[in-house]
Amino acid sequence: MLKAYKYRLYPTKEQKEFFEKQFNACRFIYNWGLQTKIFCYEKTRQSLSHYELELKMVHELKHEHLWLKEVMSIPLIRTLINLDIAYDNFFRELKKDPHFSGFPRFKSKKNARQSFQFHQGYTVDFDAGYLKLPKIGNVECRYHRTFGGTPKTITISRNAGKYFVSITVHDGLETPAKQPYDADSTIGIDVGLTHFATLSNGEKIDNPKHLLKNIERVKVLNRRLSRKKKGSNNRKKAVQQLARLHEKIANQRRDFLHKVSHRLISENQAVAIEDLNIRDMQQNHHLAQAISDVSWFEFGKQLEYKAEWNGKTVLRIDKFEPSSKTCSNCGYKKENMPLSVREWSCPECGTVHDRDLNAALNIKNMALCTAAQVG
Ligand SMILES: [Zn+2]
Protein backbone atom coordinates (compact mmCIF):
# COMPACT_ATOMS: atom_id res chain seq x y z
CA MET A 1 0.00 0.00 0.00
CA LEU A 2 1.15 3.53 -0.71
CA LYS A 3 1.34 6.13 2.03
CA ALA A 4 2.64 9.68 1.94
CA TYR A 5 4.93 11.37 4.47
CA LYS A 6 5.55 15.09 4.46
CA TYR A 7 8.52 16.85 6.06
CA ARG A 8 9.85 20.38 6.27
CA LEU A 9 13.10 21.10 4.43
CA TYR A 10 15.68 23.72 5.42
CA PRO A 11 17.69 24.41 2.26
CA THR A 12 20.73 26.70 2.23
CA LYS A 13 20.72 29.84 0.09
CA GLU A 14 22.38 28.01 -2.84
CA GLN A 15 19.99 25.08 -2.53
CA LYS A 16 17.04 27.45 -2.57
CA GLU A 17 18.38 28.96 -5.77
CA PHE A 18 18.61 25.52 -7.33
CA PHE A 19 15.07 24.71 -6.23
CA GLU A 20 13.83 27.94 -7.78
CA LYS A 21 15.56 27.08 -11.05
CA GLN A 22 13.94 23.66 -11.01
CA PHE A 23 10.48 25.09 -10.20
CA ASN A 24 10.88 27.55 -13.07
CA ALA A 25 12.02 24.86 -15.48
CA CYS A 26 9.13 22.54 -14.59
CA ARG A 27 6.59 25.33 -14.89
CA PHE A 28 8.12 26.37 -18.22
CA ILE A 29 7.95 22.78 -19.53
CA TYR A 30 4.38 22.36 -18.28
CA ASN A 31 3.22 25.53 -20.03
CA TRP A 32 5.17 24.72 -23.17
CA GLY A 33 3.70 21.17 -23.17
CA LEU A 34 0.17 22.47 -22.70
CA GLN A 35 0.62 25.06 -25.45
CA THR A 36 2.08 22.43 -27.80
CA LYS A 37 -0.74 19.99 -27.06
CA ILE A 38 -3.40 22.64 -27.76
CA PHE A 39 -1.64 23.81 -30.93
CA CYS A 40 -1.21 20.27 -32.24
CA TYR A 41 -4.82 19.41 -31.52
CA GLU A 42 -6.10 22.49 -33.32
CA LYS A 43 -3.98 21.70 -36.36
CA THR A 44 -4.32 17.93 -36.67
CA ARG A 45 -7.15 16.90 -34.29
CA GLN A 46 -4.62 14.45 -32.85
CA SER A 47 -3.53 14.40 -29.24
CA LEU A 48 0.19 14.37 -28.44
CA SER A 49 1.26 11.83 -25.81
CA HIS A 50 3.87 12.66 -23.19
CA TYR A 51 6.37 10.43 -25.06
CA GLU A 52 6.02 12.56 -28.16
CA LEU A 53 6.33 15.71 -26.09
CA GLU A 54 9.38 14.30 -24.35
CA LEU A 55 11.08 13.67 -27.71
CA LYS A 56 10.27 17.19 -28.83
CA MET A 57 11.57 18.56 -25.56
CA VAL A 58 14.90 16.72 -25.81
CA HIS A 59 15.46 17.41 -29.53
CA GLU A 60 14.15 20.90 -29.95
CA LEU A 61 13.70 22.68 -26.67
CA LYS A 62 16.96 21.89 -24.93
CA HIS A 63 18.95 23.35 -27.81
CA GLU A 64 16.99 26.56 -27.76
CA HIS A 65 16.98 26.90 -24.00
CA LEU A 66 20.37 25.88 -22.66
CA TRP A 67 19.40 26.70 -19.07
CA LEU A 68 17.16 23.64 -19.11
CA LYS A 69 20.32 21.51 -19.12
CA GLU A 70 21.36 22.93 -15.77
CA VAL A 71 18.45 21.37 -13.87
CA MET A 72 17.45 17.74 -13.23
CA SER A 73 15.81 16.09 -16.26
CA ILE A 74 13.61 13.57 -14.51
CA PRO A 75 11.35 16.20 -12.94
CA LEU A 76 10.86 17.71 -16.41
CA ILE A 77 9.69 14.36 -17.79
CA ARG A 78 7.54 13.86 -14.70
CA THR A 79 5.94 17.25 -15.43
CA LEU A 80 4.91 16.06 -18.89
CA ILE A 81 3.42 12.88 -17.40
CA ASN A 82 1.44 14.98 -14.90
CA LEU A 83 0.22 17.16 -17.75
CA ASP A 84 -0.99 14.03 -19.51
CA ILE A 85 -2.86 12.95 -16.39
CA ALA A 86 -4.49 16.40 -16.02
CA TYR A 87 -5.50 16.26 -19.67
CA ASP A 88 -7.00 12.77 -19.40
CA ASN A 89 -8.86 13.71 -16.21
CA PHE A 90 -10.36 16.68 -17.98
CA PHE A 91 -11.69 14.61 -20.88
CA ARG A 92 -12.99 11.91 -18.54
CA GLU A 93 -14.93 14.51 -16.53
CA LEU A 94 -16.14 16.14 -19.74
CA LYS A 95 -17.68 12.84 -20.85
CA LYS A 96 -19.64 12.68 -17.61
CA ASP A 97 -20.61 16.36 -17.69
CA PRO A 98 -20.51 18.36 -20.95
CA HIS A 99 -20.32 21.64 -19.02
CA PHE A 100 -17.20 20.64 -17.14
CA SER A 101 -14.81 23.58 -17.22
CA GLY A 102 -11.65 22.32 -15.54
CA PHE A 103 -9.38 22.40 -18.57
CA PRO A 104 -5.70 22.31 -17.44
CA ARG A 105 -4.52 25.85 -16.82
CA PHE A 106 -1.20 27.49 -17.49
CA LYS A 107 0.89 27.72 -14.35
CA SER A 108 1.93 31.09 -13.04
CA LYS A 109 5.13 32.13 -11.33
CA LYS A 110 2.90 34.02 -8.93
CA ASN A 111 1.28 30.87 -7.52
CA ALA A 112 2.08 30.56 -3.83
CA ARG A 113 2.82 26.88 -4.29
CA GLN A 114 5.56 25.69 -6.65
CA SER A 115 6.71 22.09 -6.92
CA PHE A 116 8.58 19.42 -8.80
CA GLN A 117 8.56 15.63 -8.63
CA PHE A 118 10.91 12.75 -9.31
CA HIS A 119 11.36 9.15 -8.27
CA GLN A 120 15.02 8.08 -8.22
CA GLY A 121 18.52 9.04 -7.19
CA TYR A 122 17.66 10.43 -3.76
CA THR A 123 18.47 9.13 -0.28
CA VAL A 124 16.52 9.50 2.94
CA ASP A 125 18.84 9.68 5.97
CA PHE A 126 16.79 9.69 9.17
CA ASP A 127 19.81 9.63 11.51
CA ALA A 128 21.71 12.52 9.99
CA GLY A 129 18.51 14.48 9.27
CA TYR A 130 19.28 14.95 5.61
CA LEU A 131 17.60 14.33 2.31
CA LYS A 132 20.25 13.74 -0.35
CA LEU A 133 19.22 14.97 -3.78
CA PRO A 134 20.99 14.59 -7.12
CA LYS A 135 22.83 17.75 -8.28
CA ILE A 136 21.97 19.44 -4.96
CA GLY A 137 23.47 17.27 -2.23
CA ASN A 138 22.35 17.04 1.40
CA VAL A 139 19.37 19.18 2.31
CA GLU A 140 18.54 19.52 5.99
CA CYS A 141 15.24 17.82 6.70
CA ARG A 142 13.23 17.59 9.92
CA TYR A 143 12.01 13.99 10.03
CA HIS A 144 9.42 14.17 12.82
CA ARG A 145 8.51 10.53 12.12
CA THR A 146 10.19 7.65 10.31
CA PHE A 147 8.72 5.12 7.90
CA GLY A 148 9.49 1.58 6.76
CA GLY A 149 9.15 0.31 3.21
CA THR A 150 10.29 1.51 -0.19
CA PRO A 151 10.23 5.24 -0.95
CA LYS A 152 8.80 5.99 -4.40
CA THR A 153 7.92 9.39 -5.81
CA ILE A 154 9.05 12.50 -3.97
CA THR A 155 7.64 15.99 -4.37
CA ILE A 156 9.64 19.05 -3.40
CA SER A 157 7.48 22.12 -2.89
CA ARG A 158 7.61 25.69 -1.72
CA ASN A 159 4.59 27.26 -0.12
CA ALA A 160 4.49 30.70 1.52
CA GLY A 161 8.28 30.78 1.72
CA LYS A 162 8.65 27.33 3.32
CA TYR A 163 10.05 24.22 1.68
CA PHE A 164 8.68 20.70 2.02
CA VAL A 165 9.25 17.21 0.76
CA SER A 166 6.46 14.70 0.44
CA ILE A 167 7.57 11.09 0.02
CA THR A 168 5.26 8.36 -1.25
CA VAL A 169 6.23 5.08 0.39
CA HIS A 170 5.23 1.55 -0.51
CA ASP A 171 4.97 -0.26 2.82
CA GLY A 172 5.22 -3.74 1.27
CA LEU A 173 1.85 -4.79 2.70
CA GLU A 174 -1.01 -6.11 0.62
CA THR A 175 -4.22 -4.08 0.52
CA PRO A 176 -6.61 -5.77 2.96
CA ALA A 177 -9.63 -7.59 1.50
CA LYS A 178 -12.88 -5.61 1.47
CA GLN A 179 -15.11 -6.35 4.46
CA PRO A 180 -18.79 -6.98 3.80
CA TYR A 181 -21.25 -4.16 4.54
CA ASP A 182 -25.01 -3.85 4.84
CA ALA A 183 -27.57 -1.12 5.53
CA ASP A 184 -26.79 -1.17 9.26
CA SER A 185 -23.04 -0.78 8.84
CA THR A 186 -23.21 1.90 6.11
CA ILE A 187 -23.36 5.60 6.85
CA GLY A 188 -24.58 8.31 4.46
CA ILE A 189 -22.74 11.64 4.53
CA ASP A 190 -24.14 14.93 3.26
CA VAL A 191 -21.60 17.76 3.17
CA GLY A 192 -22.83 21.33 3.39
CA LEU A 193 -22.13 24.89 4.36
CA THR A 194 -24.14 25.29 7.57
CA HIS A 195 -22.55 22.14 9.00
CA PHE A 196 -19.47 20.48 7.59
CA ALA A 197 -21.41 17.23 7.34
CA THR A 198 -24.69 15.62 8.35
CA LEU A 199 -24.71 11.85 8.84
CA SER A 200 -27.58 9.51 8.10
CA ASN A 201 -27.69 8.57 11.82
CA GLY A 202 -28.66 12.17 12.62
CA GLU A 203 -25.26 13.38 13.79
CA LYS A 204 -24.12 16.81 12.60
CA ILE A 205 -20.44 17.61 12.37
CA ASP A 206 -19.65 21.31 12.63
CA ASN A 207 -16.76 23.13 11.04
CA PRO A 208 -14.18 23.88 13.74
CA LYS A 209 -14.66 27.33 15.27
CA HIS A 210 -11.02 28.40 15.03
CA LEU A 211 -11.13 27.68 11.31
CA LEU A 212 -14.17 29.92 10.84
CA LYS A 213 -12.52 32.63 12.92
CA ASN A 214 -9.42 32.56 10.74
CA ILE A 215 -11.52 32.78 7.58
CA GLU A 216 -13.03 35.99 8.99
CA ARG A 217 -9.54 37.20 9.75
CA VAL A 218 -8.51 36.71 6.09
CA LYS A 219 -11.23 39.14 5.06
CA VAL A 220 -9.90 41.73 7.49
CA LEU A 221 -6.31 41.28 6.26
CA ASN A 222 -7.45 41.44 2.64
CA ARG A 223 -9.14 44.77 3.26
CA ARG A 224 -6.05 46.06 5.03
CA LEU A 225 -3.86 44.91 2.15
CA SER A 226 -5.96 46.72 -0.42
CA ARG A 227 -5.21 50.02 1.35
CA LYS A 228 -1.42 49.56 1.23
CA LYS A 229 0.60 51.30 -1.48
CA LYS A 230 1.88 49.06 -4.30
CA GLY A 231 5.58 48.24 -3.92
CA SER A 232 5.75 49.52 -0.33
CA ASN A 233 7.36 47.60 2.53
CA ASN A 234 4.11 47.65 4.44
CA ARG A 235 2.42 45.94 1.54
CA LYS A 236 5.08 43.24 1.45
CA LYS A 237 4.57 42.65 5.16
CA ALA A 238 0.81 42.43 4.72
CA VAL A 239 1.20 39.93 1.86
CA GLN A 240 3.42 37.76 4.05
CA GLN A 241 0.99 37.94 6.94
CA LEU A 242 -1.82 36.85 4.65
CA ALA A 243 0.21 33.97 3.20
CA ARG A 244 0.99 32.72 6.72
CA LEU A 245 -2.67 32.86 7.67
CA HIS A 246 -3.67 30.94 4.54
CA GLU A 247 -1.12 28.30 5.45
CA LYS A 248 -2.50 28.10 8.98
CA ILE A 249 -6.04 27.67 7.63
CA ALA A 250 -4.87 24.93 5.26
CA ASN A 251 -3.24 23.08 8.18
CA GLN A 252 -6.27 23.41 10.45
CA ARG A 253 -8.51 22.26 7.64
CA ARG A 254 -6.32 19.24 6.91
CA ASP A 255 -6.13 18.22 10.61
CA PHE A 256 -9.87 18.45 10.92
CA LEU A 257 -10.50 16.42 7.75
CA HIS A 258 -8.07 13.71 8.87
CA LYS A 259 -9.83 13.37 12.21
CA VAL A 260 -13.31 13.17 10.69
CA SER A 261 -12.38 10.81 7.85
CA HIS A 262 -10.43 8.57 10.22
CA ARG A 263 -13.36 8.30 12.61
CA LEU A 264 -15.97 7.63 9.93
CA ILE A 265 -13.88 4.91 8.31
CA SER A 266 -13.16 3.23 11.67
CA GLU A 267 -16.78 3.31 12.84
CA ASN A 268 -18.43 2.04 9.63
CA GLN A 269 -18.00 -0.75 7.10
CA ALA A 270 -19.03 1.52 4.23
CA VAL A 271 -19.53 5.26 3.77
CA ALA A 272 -21.79 6.75 1.10
CA ILE A 273 -21.07 10.19 -0.35
CA GLU A 274 -22.05 12.33 -3.30
CA ASP A 275 -19.58 12.40 -6.14
CA LEU A 276 -17.99 15.82 -5.72
CA ASN A 277 -15.79 17.10 -8.44
CA ILE A 278 -13.62 20.13 -8.79
CA ARG A 279 -15.77 21.79 -11.40
CA ASP A 280 -17.80 24.10 -9.18
CA MET A 281 -14.78 24.88 -7.10
CA GLN A 282 -13.10 26.78 -9.89
CA GLN A 283 -16.03 29.07 -10.39
CA ASN A 284 -16.26 30.13 -6.83
CA HIS A 285 -14.81 33.32 -5.48
CA HIS A 286 -16.58 33.40 -2.16
CA LEU A 287 -13.93 32.49 0.38
CA ALA A 288 -15.86 30.35 2.87
CA GLN A 289 -17.50 28.49 -0.01
CA ALA A 290 -14.18 28.01 -1.79
CA ILE A 291 -12.59 26.56 1.34
CA SER A 292 -15.55 24.24 1.85
CA ASP A 293 -15.28 23.05 -1.74
CA VAL A 294 -11.61 22.25 -1.37
CA SER A 295 -12.39 20.52 1.92
CA TRP A 296 -15.12 18.31 0.48
CA PHE A 297 -12.96 17.32 -2.42
CA GLU A 298 -10.04 16.51 -0.12
CA PHE A 299 -12.41 14.75 2.31
CA GLY A 300 -13.59 12.41 -0.47
CA LYS A 301 -9.99 11.57 -1.34
CA GLN A 302 -9.11 10.87 2.31
CA LEU A 303 -12.15 8.62 2.78
CA GLU A 304 -11.15 6.79 -0.39
CA TYR A 305 -7.60 5.94 0.63
CA LYS A 306 -8.35 5.32 4.29
CA ALA A 307 -11.09 2.91 3.21
CA GLU A 308 -8.60 1.10 1.04
CA TRP A 309 -6.07 0.79 3.89
CA ASN A 310 -8.73 -0.64 6.19
CA GLY A 311 -10.71 -2.92 3.89
CA LYS A 312 -13.72 -0.59 3.98
CA THR A 313 -15.85 0.66 1.07
CA VAL A 314 -16.69 4.11 -0.26
CA LEU A 315 -19.96 4.21 -2.20
CA ARG A 316 -20.55 7.22 -4.42
CA ILE A 317 -23.73 8.55 -5.95
CA ASP A 318 -23.92 10.84 -8.94
CA LYS A 319 -24.05 14.48 -7.85
CA PHE A 320 -27.05 15.01 -10.12
CA GLU A 321 -29.21 12.61 -8.10
CA PRO A 322 -31.93 14.67 -6.36
CA SER A 323 -30.78 13.76 -2.85
CA SER A 324 -32.28 16.83 -1.13
CA LYS A 325 -35.52 16.89 -3.10
CA THR A 326 -36.55 13.27 -2.56
CA CYS A 327 -38.46 12.10 0.52
CA SER A 328 -36.27 9.47 2.14
CA ASN A 329 -39.35 7.83 3.64
CA CYS A 330 -41.63 7.34 0.63
CA GLY A 331 -39.62 8.42 -2.42
CA TYR A 332 -41.80 11.43 -3.31
CA LYS A 333 -39.84 13.98 -5.37
CA LYS A 334 -40.35 17.71 -4.84
CA GLU A 335 -40.15 19.99 -7.88
CA ASN A 336 -37.69 22.42 -6.38
CA MET A 337 -36.01 23.01 -3.09
CA PRO A 338 -34.33 26.41 -2.56
CA LEU A 339 -31.21 26.33 -0.38
CA SER A 340 -32.96 28.45 2.24
CA VAL A 341 -35.44 25.67 3.06
CA ARG A 342 -33.92 23.87 6.06
CA GLU A 343 -36.99 21.83 6.97
CA TRP A 344 -39.95 20.51 4.96
CA SER A 345 -42.79 18.06 5.31
CA CYS A 346 -43.57 15.50 2.62
CA PRO A 347 -47.03 16.11 1.04
CA GLU A 348 -47.26 12.38 0.34
CA CYS A 349 -46.46 10.67 3.63
CA GLY A 350 -46.35 13.64 6.01
CA THR A 351 -42.84 13.00 7.31
CA VAL A 352 -41.14 16.18 8.54
CA HIS A 353 -37.59 16.35 7.20
CA ASP A 354 -34.47 18.11 8.31
CA ARG A 355 -33.09 19.01 4.90
CA ASP A 356 -29.54 17.73 5.48
CA LEU A 357 -30.50 14.58 7.37
CA ASN A 358 -32.97 13.70 4.61
CA ALA A 359 -30.19 14.20 2.04
CA ALA A 360 -27.80 12.01 4.04
CA LEU A 361 -30.44 9.24 4.26
CA ASN A 362 -31.02 9.47 0.50
CA ILE A 363 -27.32 9.36 -0.26
CA LYS A 364 -27.09 6.20 1.81
CA ASN A 365 -30.16 4.57 0.24
CA MET A 366 -29.31 5.52 -3.32
CA ALA A 367 -25.72 4.36 -2.94
CA LEU A 368 -26.73 1.01 -1.45
CA CYS A 369 -29.30 0.60 -4.19
CA THR A 370 -26.77 1.31 -6.96
CA ALA A 371 -24.20 -1.00 -5.35
CA ALA A 372 -26.79 -3.80 -5.19
CA GLN A 373 -27.58 -3.36 -8.89
CA VAL A 374 -23.91 -3.38 -9.87
CA GLY A 375 -22.92 -6.22 -7.53
ZN1 LIG B 1 -42.74 11.05 1.86
Side-chain angles (χ1 to χ4, degrees):
M1 285 190 292
L2 288 173
K3 290 189 179 180
Y5 297 85
K6 191 174 180 181
Y7 306 106
R8 176 108 184 251
L9 289 175
Y10 296 87
T12 62
K13 193 164 162 275
E14 288 75 30
Q15 290 170 339
K16 277 182 192 169
E17 279 165 15
F18 190 95
F19 283 163
E20 291 309 315
K21 245 188 213 174
Q22 189 77 51
F23 294 142
N24 289 343
C26 286
R27 198 177 55 243
F28 174 81
I29 289 295
Y30 187 93
N31 290 342
W32 164 82
L34 182 55
Q35 183 70 58
T36 310
K37 259 170 159 337
I38 294 170
F39 184 69
C40 172
Y41 186 78
E42 280 170 353
K43 240 171 85 179
T44 65
R45 297 280 137 196
Q46 299 277 318
S47 194
L48 275 180
S49 71
H50 70 86
Y51 295 110
E52 290 164 305
L53 278 173
E54 196 182 316
L55 279 177
K56 260 176 122 52
M57 173 178 84
V58 173
H59 290 300
E60 298 169 21
L61 217 54
K62 280 198 174 175
H63 293 291
E64 289 169 40
H65 300 275
L66 288 173
W67 59 279
L68 287 175
K69 287 189 179 167
E70 293 169 21
V71 297
M72 292 190 264
S73 310
I74 299 171
L76 303 182
I77 294 167
R78 188 71 222 186
T79 297
L80 293 177
I81 296 173
N82 287 344
L83 172 63
D84 240 20
I85 295 171
Y87 227 73
D88 290 348
N89 281 348
F90 168 73
F91 284 106
R92 203 177 44 236
E93 288 296 326
L94 194 65
K95 255 187 217 159
K96 284 195 256 171
D97 171 8
H99 299 293
F100 183 67
S101 62
F103 188 75
R105 290 201 227 170
F106 289 98
K107 293 194 190 232
S108 162
K109 196 179 174 137
K110 284 186 191 148
N111 284 354
R113 186 177 187 276
Q114 302 285 338
S115 68
F116 65 87
Q117 264 185 352
F118 61 108
H119 58 278
Q120 60 189 47
Y122 66 91
T123 316
V124 172
D125 191 336
F126 288 129
D127 296 329
Y130 283 119
L131 175 71
K132 192 176 177 189
L133 298 172
K135 286 202 177 191
I136 299 174
N138 287 335
V139 183
E140 196 187 329
C141 181
R142 194 157 300 160
Y143 295 107
H144 55 278
R145 58 197 284 213
T146 60
F147 57 78
T150 320
K152 300 277 183 189
T153 308
I154 72 171
T155 308
I156 308 278
S157 62
R158 166 171 58 74
N159 204 344
K162 292 176 187 159
Y163 294 82
F164 301 93
V165 58
S166 172
I167 310 175
T168 321
V169 179
H170 199 286
D171 62 8
L173 301 174
E174 292 291 321
T175 312
K178 291 263 183 224
Q179 297 167 26
Y181 59 87
D182 57 13
D184 288 334
S185 57
T186 300
I187 195 119
I189 309 168
D190 177 58
V191 287
L193 265 182
T194 24
H195 300 277
F196 169 73
T198 303
L199 308 182
S200 57
N201 62 8
E203 185 189 340
K204 292 188 181 242
I205 301 172
D206 277 323
N207 280 304
K209 290 226 164 51
H210 52 266
L211 182 66
L212 299 176
K213 225 184 259 166
N214 277 331
I215 291 174
E216 285 308 308
R217 177 117 183 95
V218 166
K219 287 183 201 160
V220 174
L221 288 187
N222 260 331
R223 268 200 301 277
R224 230 178 259 173
L225 178 66
S226 67
R227 288 196 296 263
K228 300 273 188 280
K229 236 212 234 127
K230 279 220 169 107
S232 68
N233 263 341
N234 277 339
R235 189 183 171 88
K236 261 184 219 150
K237 261 186 221 155
V239 169
Q240 259 175 15
Q241 214 179 1
L242 198 58
R244 271 200 299 272
L245 187 58
H246 272 295
E247 197 194 348
K248 195 169 172 189
I249 291 177
N251 288 338
Q252 289 175 334
R253 190 176 59 77
R254 208 171 303 120
D255 276 356
F256 168 70
L257 293 178
H258 275 305
K259 275 187 200 126
V260 178
S261 60
H262 175 79
R263 174 163 80 84
L264 291 176
I265 291 295
S266 332
E267 288 174 354
N268 303 283
Q269 297 294 88
V271 297
I273 52 172
E274 255 179 323
D275 210 355
L276 304 160
N277 72 26
I278 38 179
R279 174 190 161 198
D280 308 309
M281 227 163 88
Q282 288 159 336
Q283 294 161 345
N284 228 305
H285 296 291
H286 188 256
L287 185 68
Q289 175 73 55
I291 288 172
S292 295
D293 288 346
V294 184
S295 298
W296 299 335
F297 186 67
E298 174 67 30
F299 183 58
K301 283 205 299 192
Q302 288 187 5
L303 287 173
E304 210 66 79
Y305 70 70
K306 287 178 187 175
E308 197 173 314
W309 293 348
N310 294 289
K312 307 294 179 80
T313 303
V314 175
L315 304 166
R316 286 179 182 267
I317 68 160
D318 196 301
K319 65 177 171 134
F320 295 115
E321 296 271 7
S323 57
S324 1
K325 288 187 249 176
T326 307
C327 168
S328 56
N329 186 43
C330 73
Y332 171 86
K333 276 193 190 66
K334 253 178 112 70
E335 277 295 302
N336 51 41
M337 175 74 68
L339 260 174
S340 55
V341 178
R342 306 311 309 169
E343 206 181 88
W344 60 287
S345 58
C346 173
E348 199 68 29
C349 70
T351 311
V352 180
H353 291 299
D354 169 279
R355 179 201 179 92
D356 300 332
L357 174 57
N358 180 56
L361 283 165
N362 280 326
I363 289 170
K364 173 181 166 175
N365 295 339
M366 290 170 183
L368 283 169
C369 188
T370 315
Q373 281 162 9
V374 175

